Amino acid sequence: MDTSMLRTPLIAQTVEALVADGGGLITYEQGMGGRETLVAAAAALAARNGSPLTIVESVVLHEETRATVAALQPGVQCTVISARDAALQPQPASGSVLAVHADLLRDPIARESLLELARAADHLLVARHDYSDPSLDSLAGTAHRLDRPSFIAAANKASARWAQTFAPTYVPPPIEQRDGRLTRQEAAVGDRDDFTEYFERKQRLIAQLNQQTTDGPAADGVEYIDLADIEAVTHADLDRLAAEEQERIAAFVERLEARARDRIQRVTQAGGTDPHLPRAPAQQDQRQATAHQHQASDGRAPGR
């Protein structure tokens, strides 16, 4: 049995109505949960009345039926029998609940005993297909129909009810129409230019000054600024730090130039060449002329 069908609006309403009426008839189309509705309603009615429950069902469904009743109503005393066992049943107790599927009336041996058992029950619930034997209809009482049109109608009605129940009681206006939003936007835009320029200038200088910390140890006398202390730095501090950094850069460049001049002078005095230095144009022209002379003495045209 598919007990998940008991959560659908139509079957839940039918179970509730059968319990309120103390029994009834369930006619259903194939696949619409007739057996699940019969067992659930009978178990709920027996639990409400505190009375025993007897379910007449095919032998192959006995274990599944007992398990379903135990899951839905654990405290209910339930007996599941076959149609032929109906003749062996004692007189039903007062207030007892009997649930029968009408397909079992097709057994001619059990038919009469099953009808007698149904007549003696205080609360009778019957489920049947459209093509099943209708002999128990008059004993069951109020009829409830489970078909696809009814299923869809109940689902739509439940959806509309839930939508109304959970509908929001307050719908805020669009964002552009909310009070104070335009004022806050104008204030933010007016303050952004000066602050952004000031903040970005600090970030650029701090990144330039702190770059040396990743290349090696800090030099003596160099003042570093952490990003966390950025708001404590004034414009005057930034100007002073920028000027000091420019002086250090100029001194570094001057040292590089002096080192290059000294190297060139030492190589020149030694009369040699440094392979890492570019050749002078005069030396290149002399070497090209010597190569042309060698080629002419061999009787070859230059460049061949």
Side-chain angles (χ1 to χ4, degrees):
M1 294 185 183
D2 185 6
T3 56
S4 64
M5 298 191 68
L6 300 176
R7 295 193 294 268
T8 61
L10 177 61
I11 293 181
Q13 294 168 13
T14 303
V15 170
E16 183 178 351
L18 289 167
V19 174
D21 294 342
L25 172 66
I26 306 164
T27 61
Y28 67 99
E29 292 181 353
Q30 188 70 27
M32 293 304 297
R35 274 190 165 86
E36 291 84 353
T37 305
L38 174 68
V39 173
L45 180 58
R48 188 195 69 175
N49 296 343
S51 57
L53 169 64
T54 301
I55 300 177
V56 185
E57 187 56 277
S58 300
V59 176
V60 295
L61 295 175
H62 282 192
E63 291 298 327
E64 188 175 2
T65 302
R66 292 191 188 96
T68 301
V69 173
L72 296 176
Q73 302 293 341
V76 171
Q77 178 186 349
C78 177
T79 303
V80 183
I81 63 175
S82 64
R84 296 193 178 188
D85 291 337
L88 306 176
Q89 295 300 307
Q91 189 70 18
S94 176
S96 62
V97 178
L98 177 66
V100 183
H101 198 287
D103 282 355
L104 301 177
L105 292 174
R106 290 181 294 184
D107 186 350
I109 298 177
R111 179 183 176 82
E112 289 302 323
S113 58
L114 188 56
L115 289 173
E116 288 296 328
L117 184 64
R119 293 189 187 100
D122 290 338
H123 301 280
L124 176 64
L125 295 94
V126 178
R128 71 172 179 84
H129 297 290
D130 294 334
Y131 51 79
S132 299
D133 192 326
S135 300
L136 294 173
D137 290 6
S138 60
L139 299 175
T142 306
H144 302 271
R145 176 74 176 167
L146 301 179
D147 55 18
R148 285 166 178 77
S150 302
F151 182 90
I152 295 173
N156 292 338
K157 185 177 179 180
S159 298
R161 183 173 63 253
W162 292 336
Q164 185 176 5
T165 301
F166 296 103
T169 57
Y170 169 74
V171 179
I175 293 178
E176 60 273 8
Q177 298 179 8
R178 295 180 187 177
D179 295 338
R181 178 177 177 82
L182 185 59
T183 303
R184 292 194 301 272
Q185 286 180 334
E186 292 176 349
V189 171
D191 296 340
R192 183 180 182 279
D193 294 337
D194 295 339
F195 175 78
T196 302
E197 182 180 358
Y198 173 68
F199 187 77
E200 290 179 352
R201 182 184 177 193
K202 287 184 177 182
Q203 282 186 312
R204 287 195 301 270
L205 183 57
I206 289 172
Q208 182 180 4
L209 296 177
N210 290 342
Q211 184 178 4
Q212 299 183 26
T213 61
T214 61
D215 300 333
D220 295 337
V222 177
E223 181 180 1
Y224 294 106
I225 304 173
D226 190 80
L227 189 60
D229 301 328
I230 189 170
E231 294 303 328
V233 181
T234 64
H235 284 287
D237 294 331
L238 291 172
D239 294 338
R240 176 179 55 81
L241 292 171
E244 292 176 357
E245 181 65 17
Q246 292 296 330
E247 291 177 0
R248 285 193 290 272
I249 293 174
F252 177 72
V253 172
E254 185 177 353
R255 288 196 300 272
L256 290 180
E257 291 177 348
R259 189 182 306 169
R261 288 193 299 269
D262 181 64
R263 184 175 184 180
I264 293 172
Q265 184 177 3
R266 285 188 283 105
V267 170
T268 303
Q269 291 175 353
T273 58
D274 190 340
H276 299 288
L277 295 176
R279 294 194 181 101
Q283 294 177 345
Q284 293 179 356
D285 294 342
Q286 183 178 1
R287 291 187 180 186
Q288 289 177 357
T290 304
H292 289 317
Q293 290 176 1
H294 285 298
Q295 291 174 357
S297 63
D298 294 337
R300 293 180 298 171
R304 300 212 177 177

